[in-house]
Amino acid sequence: MPYVVNHPVKIHFQQIGEGPPLVLQHGFSDSISGWYEAGWVKRLGRHFRLIMIDARGHGFSDKPHAPDAYNLSHRVDDVLTVIDTLGLERVHFLGYSMGGWIGLGLARKTPHRLLSLTLGGIHPYGQDMSPYRRGVAHGMDDWAKLVQQATGGRMPDSTLQRIRANDPQALAAAVANDRPAFKGAWSQLRFPCLLFAGTHDPLLPQMERFAHELPEARLVRIEDADHTQAFFEPARLAPAILEFLQPSKGHV
């Protein structure tokens, strides 16, 4: 099982497929397994070298219990440590929700390491994380029920079991602090950006604002999906992502 160590947290990652390198970073309380279960690996793995990372506090990565361990700078360095270890100078990046937040941090800290940026369900204007704090306060069984309700009951049993298996102290530490707004304009980014969100995602208005601020951005709206459901729509999203990343191969 491949790991890297980032002072001193062990970060688990996996690779599959061949082609241009595409880093996949999952959302809160998820793991690498989510990319498989939702169908992303099946649809994108034929076209890219997928590099999937278990964020600290999740999956098979270490799970510190101190909130300071989850500062965005540490999470960004986790990704950089993985791609440095693999000898990659530049990568495509796809992140959902919390994973998109990490992608924003990469774009700020090391824009020269990104070939493109694809972000779902995230914006750079700060976020109150108290709903997540309340959600995990009573344990993983209650949190799993909330996530299942958010998907309209369409979540596989394997996903629910995996969510229940999370370390509640690690997840509580990961959302102990609100996400501050990024400072400065985004107009300096010089690589293409794709944003996506469900039309029922409460973050959509901020993402529409963000799309207008980016010089090379496109926003894809997933009809009748909320924040959680959008991740489970690779059948609708993957063609747009593939067309964005490889315009000559606009199908999956």
Side-chain angles (χ1 to χ4, degrees):
M1 191 174 292
Y3 288 92
V4 297
V5 179
N6 178 30
H7 305 299
V9 176
K10 287 199 327 185
I11 301 298
H12 170 245
F13 69 96
Q14 291 183 17
Q15 296 185 82
I16 191 170
E18 297 181 357
L22 172 60
V23 173
L24 302 183
Q25 186 69 78
H26 62 79
F28 179 71
S29 75
D30 206 345
S31 73
I32 287 172
S33 296
W35 298 106
Y36 289 93
E37 292 170 358
W40 289 95
V41 171
K42 178 180 178 181
R43 293 181 176 277
L44 297 178
R46 300 194 302 267
H47 306 278
F48 299 96
R49 175 187 177 184
L50 301 181
I51 302 161
M52 298 169 284
I53 302 173
D54 275 336
R56 56 176 58 208
H58 299 74
F60 290 104
S61 291
D62 281 350
K63 300 171 178 62
H65 290 171
D68 286 350
Y70 295 91
N71 290 343
L72 182 59
S73 60
H74 298 320
R75 303 187 201 210
V76 169
D77 285 344
D78 292 342
V79 177
L80 293 173
T81 302
V82 171
I83 62 177
D84 285 345
T85 299
L86 296 176
L88 298 170
E89 183 59 33
R90 301 180 73 194
V91 297
H92 298 286
F93 184 94
L94 191 167
Y96 192 73
S97 195
M98 180 190 76
W101 176 251
I102 296 170
L104 290 170
L106 278 167
R108 276 300 201 208
K109 181 175 181 177
T110 55
H112 59 284
R113 305 297 300 273
L114 295 175
L115 294 165
S116 71
L117 189 62
T118 301
L119 305 175
I122 197 66
H123 61 76
Y125 308 115
Q127 188 172 351
D128 175 9
M129 300 304 290
S130 61
Y132 292 85
R133 290 192 286 272
R134 291 193 297 270
V136 301
H138 299 293
M140 292 298 96
D141 285 345
D142 284 356
W143 174 249
K145 291 176 184 177
L146 289 174
V147 178
Q148 185 181 37
Q149 291 170 5
T151 63
R154 293 181 293 173
M155 182 174 290
D157 288 342
S158 58
T159 303
L160 285 173
Q161 292 172 6
R162 187 162 41 77
I163 291 175
R164 291 190 185 104
N166 275 298
D167 181 331
Q169 290 178 275
L171 292 194
V175 294
N177 298 311
D178 294 335
R179 293 173 180 163
F182 286 87
K183 296 179 180 179
W186 290 89
S187 56
Q188 300 91 345
L189 294 186
R190 290 296 178 262
F191 48 77
C193 301
L194 179 69
L195 310 178
F196 65 90
T199 54
H200 299 322
D201 190 332
L203 303 183
L204 179 59
Q206 294 99 318
M207 294 190 68
E208 291 173 332
R209 171 187 167 188
F210 187 35
H212 286 299
E213 292 187 18
L214 292 169
E216 299 184 61
R218 177 187 172 195
L219 174 63
V220 176
R221 298 169 179 82
I222 306 101
E223 294 295 328
D224 300 321
D226 65 15
H227 181 80
T228 304
Q229 292 165 343
F231 179 76
F232 291 90
E233 294 291 346
R236 289 198 274 177
L237 282 165
I241 291 171
L242 185 60
E243 182 180 7
F244 166 69
L245 295 176
Q246 295 183 318
S248 63
K249 300 180 181 180
H251 63 279
V252 292

